[in-house]
Amino acid sequence: MSEPTEEQQKVRVVVADDQAAVREPLAAVLGLSGDIEVVAAAADGTEVLTAVAAGPVDVVLMDLRMPVMDGIETTRRLSEQYPQVAVVVLTTFADDDSILGALGAGARGYLTKNAGRQDISRAIRAAAAGQSVLDREVQDRLLASARSTNTKASAPGPALPEDLTPREREVLALIGQGLPNRGIAERLFISEATVKTHINNLFAKAGIRDRAAAVRRAIEAGLA
């Protein structure tokens, strides 16, 4: 990858993991990317908050199980104190409590440690651009959890806004099926940029905060 131009500012990242054997190699590998700069490495949540306060930071690559302050609590505090900083979770845990806890706290992405360097770099860039990225395994579990919750619910969820366009409904349905932006673009024969525009519009109209909420709304509406 070529070095970014002066106009293309690097994405400034804090790598957080309590294990030095994971944290240090990961920081070194990410540092090889021309458009990503690792500005700090942290062993727990308090070190993350210190690094972000010293800033500037665009993205925190966050482990969940850390001493002193875990990843979910750290994510919650970042969302409250530094909402401009995106969190991408990178963890070995893909259980419902971890996924929903992290996304509910404000994480913009969730990857398992099976993800490769390119997947992690792509998620960091996407998060810095305001997009959500979920690992396929995470999407599948989120879908299963949402469907189970919807089946047990005694009342239907909120109706979708009437001003959603047919294309926005299509996009929401595909999100509900677990497709990433690239998969939606391929399915609808449109560009990823157009997919992002549709997602931003439908999120604004429907009051949807993130991709996890979009999955739930799609299932509640019978689109997935």
Side-chain angles (χ1 to χ4, degrees), residues 34-206:
D35 58 349
I36 294 176
E37 178 185 3
V38 177
V39 297
D44 58 57
T46 60
E47 292 186 9
V48 170
L49 294 176
T50 298
V52 171
V57 173
D58 301 306
V59 177
V60 175
L61 190 61
M62 185 84 72
D63 187 23
L64 288 186
R65 306 295 169 89
M66 298 185 294
V68 185
M69 185 187 299
D70 67 21
I72 291 178
E73 178 59 26
T74 307
T75 299
R76 183 175 295 110
R77 295 198 187 189
L78 287 173
S79 297
E80 294 172 353
Q81 300 173 26
Y82 306 96
Q84 76 281 8
V85 177
V87 173
V88 174
V89 171
L90 180 65
T91 181
T92 57
F93 301 96
D95 58 282
D96 291 352
D97 289 343
S98 296
I99 295 169
L100 296 176
L103 295 177
R108 195 169 291 170
Y110 198 112
L111 303 176
T112 65
K113 288 184 177 176
N114 292 325
R117 171 191 165 189
Q118 290 186 342
D119 294 325
I120 297 171
S121 298
R122 189 180 302 116
I124 288 171
R125 297 185 193 101
Q131 303 164 27
S132 297
V133 177
L134 302 178
D135 186 283
R136 182 71 199 191
E137 179 183 355
V138 172
Q139 290 181 356
D140 289 344
R141 289 195 67 92
L142 193 58
L143 281 167
S145 176
R147 286 180 176 135
S148 174
T149 300
N150 191 53
T151 299
K152 296 174 183 177
S154 58
L160 294 174
E162 294 183 0
D163 60 344
L164 280 188
T165 67
R167 180 63 92 187
E168 288 164 357
R169 286 178 177 270
E170 282 185 294
V171 170
L172 181 58
L174 294 174
I175 291 175
Q177 293 172 29
L179 270 66
N181 287 4
R182 179 177 297 179
I184 294 172
E186 292 174 351
R187 181 75 62 87
L188 299 179
F189 301 101
I190 57 179
S191 70
E192 284 192 65
T194 300
V195 171
K196 294 171 189 174
T197 298
H198 288 314
I199 290 175
N200 289 338
N201 289 340
L202 75 88
F203 276 25
K205 291 178 182 178

